[in-house]
Amino acid sequence: MNTPIEVLLIEDNPQDTELAIRALKELNLADHLIHLTDGQAGIDFLFGIGAYEGRDVSQQPKVILLDLKLPKLSGIEVLRELRADERMKYIPVVVLTSSREERDISEVYRLGANSYVVKPMNFQSYLDVIGNMGKYWLKINLYPNV
Amino acid sequence: MKSPRPHAKTTKLRQEAEEIFQEKAIYLPEIQERLMPESSLSIFNELRVHQIQLERQNEELKRIQGELEASQARYFNLYELAPIGYITVSEASLIEQINLRAATLLGLTRGTSIQRPIVDIILRDDQDIFNQARKKLLETGKIQSCELRMMRENGTPVWVHATLTAAEDAVCITELRLMLIDITERKQVEESLESERKLLRANEAFQLDILNSLPAHIAVLDKTGTILAVNEPWSRFGRENSSYDGKNTGVGLNYLNVCRAAIHDAGACAKSAGDGVEAVLSGKQKRFNLEYPCNTSDRIRWFKMEVIPLAGKSGGAIVAHTDISERKQAERLLAWEKCALESIVSTKSSSQMLDNLMLGLETRIPGALCSILILDTDGIHLRLGAAPSLPPEYNRAIDGISIGTAVHEDQQVIVLDIESDPLWADYRGLALKHGLHVCWSTPIRSQGKILGTFSIYFKEPRSLAAADMEIIERTVNVVRIAIERQQTEEKILQLNTDLERRVEQRTAELQTANASLTDFKAALDEHSLVSITDTDGIITYANDKFCEMSKYTREELLGQTHRIVNSGYHTPDFFRGLWNTILSGQVWKGEIRNRAKDGTIYWMSTTIIPFLGEDGKPVQFITIRTDISERKHAEERISKLNSALEIRAAALETANKELDSFTYSVSHDLRAPLRAIDGFSHMVIKDHAGQLDDEGCRKLNVIRNEAHRMQLLIDDLLAFSRLGRQPINSILIDMETMAKDVFDELSAQYPERKLRLHLQKLPPALGSESLIRQVWINLISNAIKFTRDREIGEIEIGAQDGGDSGQIYSIKDNGVGFDMRHANKLFGVFQRLHNQEEFSGTGVGLALVQRIIIRHGGLVWAEAKIDHGATFYFSLPNQAK
């Protein structure tokens, strides 16, 4: 478990998950990726509670790819809990979703998401978007030393 | 003093002395006798006798001296204190001596007055009197007396009676003696008497002047009637009227005879005058008065004769005649005026009345021909009002004359000679033809306006007298009143007519109103329940409808309150509010649920109108009720319907929310499988291309294309759905630029196509920028799409004013067009007029356009013909809206 976590993907749709991981893999960005399939699992993991009781919470992902429509806790709820905690405040959250609804976009930004990305329908576009995003947050963006 | 016989006395004195000597035998003492010789003794005796004689003489002298002193005292008293002033004046006319009386009288001190010239104390004016008297005294030697004014030391004069006497010695007059008696009082009495006499004389003259200056002619008759004296007016009247011999004043004539002589001329008046004088003279009558006319050729004169008996034993009478013409004239004028005014009031015909006025006037002014012209209502022409004595031909000529000619400058015009007066130039011939030579015209005015003119004509020359002026003035006044009255009457007549007409009209209106009111009441009774209640709420009237509705008879209702129909539905507060409203004088309106006698419930729309008394408090209430039971039932039904609707609205709301969540799901959930289909198809081709033949690859590609098309359908559907919820933020859009930009963007996607845009000037529009852009995108992309087969795609964008519809924009293409029979399907969702093989599309584009335009308040329509292109129009409301 010494391996540093780079990407936390919280996504319930297996096809989308596969597509996303494939896109990251093509750029070798999926080596330190953790995939969770519901909101509650995301919270448990990040806070080191529930099933992840005892996890070293100092190890946190460089970016969280968060779907909005999730079982148990929705992406919005996950985001709200995350931003309410001082420790989690600065973890970049990229909302990755099929929804183009304005209300979703504004709500997500209000809660402090760092980016909002609509999953492209076209496969190639999908690869490009995910790949670019992964490169940006993992390779280009700088983080404070918390 | 000189004694005339001193020797005789001396002798007597000697004898007496000798006798005394003998008797007393006075002897010298013996010694002396012895010592003396005889001769000496004789001498001694002689001496003794002489001594006695001297002693006696001395005694005598003493006695005489005493007598003298007494005499002198008497003289002093006499001289100084006498009631007469004495002044002795020297030959040189200087005061020698002055007694106390004189000095007191003249206020002099005796010391200072001595040796003053006598004339100093005589008033200068009277010095001559004194000098004359003195001169006469000196000449004749006779005592002179005169009265003159001396002058007091303080300068005031004092009247004195002076007597001058001369004191003379044997040869000549040596001094003048002046005796003065104060006569001041007497002089004063005399002076007052004199002034009284003057006053008397002046009074007499004054009385005579008065008598002469009296206007009355006065004569004094003796008891036989002979004229003893007359005053000047009497004489003058006699001279001027020559009723008897003008040379004398009438004195000496017998007045009774004069009267009798005049009976021939003056008739009854003269006779009664004579009888009256006789009656007074004989004492039968204390006093006699008579007013009588005494006319001359051109004047009417009146006199008043008064006879009163003369005081005293000798009898006789005083006769006075006074000229009362003016008074009589005034009286007669007044009478005429009164008569005229009465005639104005009583005579119906105004022309007849004016004629009478003129005729009456003519009898008062000898030779006068009177006329009245009245100003016409046009304010220009004068119409003949009255001229009873002027020739008709003249009147006809004058009638209608204009005011400028007849009334000059609004002033009285006295023409004494028509023949020569320039004012008559135009009418001279006419006037002279009828012998009219004199004309006095006077304007008749009322409140500054000319009513007409009054004229007096004379055939003979005639001067204007003060009395004439008076008559003219009065006449004008009366005529003014007459004309005003006539005009007023006309006005009143007009007003009366108007009034009658208005009364008739009003009556008709009232009748109509009354009829309407009856109709109204009938209508009201037909429609409403009407009742009247008093302030206690007791029903005093109820119409049939009320009885019918409440199912009570009228007899049952009257005397009851409205509680009889109370259904118990409303609270006591409700009725309290009602009563408070109507008792405060305000109308109450409301809906009341009532119960009929048989228990039927009915709803009444009720209006209660309070009728207020003079004190502002209600005296009764009229209640008008309309049956609204049906409406109430309807309301209940509506209420139920509303509840149902509310339920449905809630359901709809739920449905909407469901739709919303459906849309959300669509956007989210339906895409995921599509993405998977596309992605995995792609991965198959990429990862397992070698395991597939061409057919397999083609089929996978079909799967991908269909997935893509479904993606588009979902996107459009979501856009279309979103539009319904999205608010529109209107801004002013530059339509021309927007259309151009959109065309440029879209045409760039088809570099292989030849497209030509004809862009006209487009006015700006108000709308949501993104939505209107979407409209342009959809319409222009359609135009590009459907001109695909044309060598050159011609796209024409224009605009026109749609009037009330706002601005109309159009896009015309030369594409394939469509059959207008299907035009109704153009804007339906998923409606397509071409199959997918011909032209791709989801069938949402035009539906979206329509939805956007309708949401902006505009309209969309199209015109087309197959193969001849299509034109799409959309309108947007004017900017002002």
Side-chain angles (χ1 to χ4, degrees), chain A residues 11 13-16 18-19 22 26 67-69 96-104 118-124 126-127, chain B residues 660-661 663-665 667-676 678-680 682-683 686-687 704 707-708 711 715 718 722 725:
Chain A
E11 167 68 81
N13 186 310
Q15 283 75 37
D16 277 354
E18 194 178 335
L19 285 171
R22 176 172 176 131
E26 285 195 3
D67 188 16
L68 286 182
K69 208 166 178 306
L96 198 61
T97 175
S98 309
S99 169
R100 288 178 177 276
E101 293 297 308
E102 177 60 35
R103 57 177 176 186
D104 287 339
V118 177
K119 295 170 183 168
M121 292 306 293
N122 182 278
F123 178 69
Q124 191 54 51
Y126 196 99
L127 294 185
Chain B
D660 221 28
S661 106
T663 310
Y664 190 77
S665 295
S667 70
H668 205 276
D669 296 352
L670 289 188
R671 283 182 197 192
L674 288 173
R675 205 167 36 246
D678 182 65
F680 279 85
H682 208 272
M683 283 192 280
K686 208 173 177 180
D687 298 349
R704 284 187 61 204
H708 181 67
Q711 171 65 31
D715 282 350
L718 284 176
R722 221 180 356 252
R725 293 176 276 136

Side-chain angles (χ1 to χ4, degrees), chain B residues 628-645:
Chain B
I628 52 162
S629 304
E630 269 187 38
R631 201 197 80 204
K632 277 286 172 184
H633 293 317
E635 276 175 7
E636 278 167 24
R637 282 198 299 276
I638 288 168
S639 178
K640 279 178 192 162
L641 272 173
N642 274 343
S643 308
L645 277 175

Side-chain angles (χ1 to χ4, degrees), chain B residues 64 140 153 226 256 282 284 320 333 345 409 415 422 452 475 498 505 536 568 577 752 798 813 824 846 879:
Chain B
I64 288 170
T140 60
E153 189 67 5
T226 303
L256 294 174
S282 63
K284 281 182 196 160
L333 208 54
V345 176
E409 294 166 7
V415 173
T475 306
D498 284 356
Q505 195 180 326
D536 294 327
E752 75 285 0
D813 63 54
N824 59 337
L846 285 178
Q879 293 173 26

Side-chain angles (χ1 to χ4, degrees), chain A residues 107-144:
Chain A
E107 178 68 4
V108 156
Y109 273 101
R110 198 179 65 75
L111 291 173
N114 298 74
S115 185
Y116 189 101
V117 176
V118 177
K119 295 170 183 168
M121 292 306 293
N122 182 278
F123 178 69
Q124 191 54 51
S125 304
Y126 196 99
L127 294 185
D128 292 348
V129 165
I130 298 293
N132 288 340
M133 189 197 60
K135 269 196 282 188
Y136 173 78
W137 289 108
L138 298 178
K139 303 288 182 197
I140 299 167
N141 193 38
L142 293 180
Y143 300 90

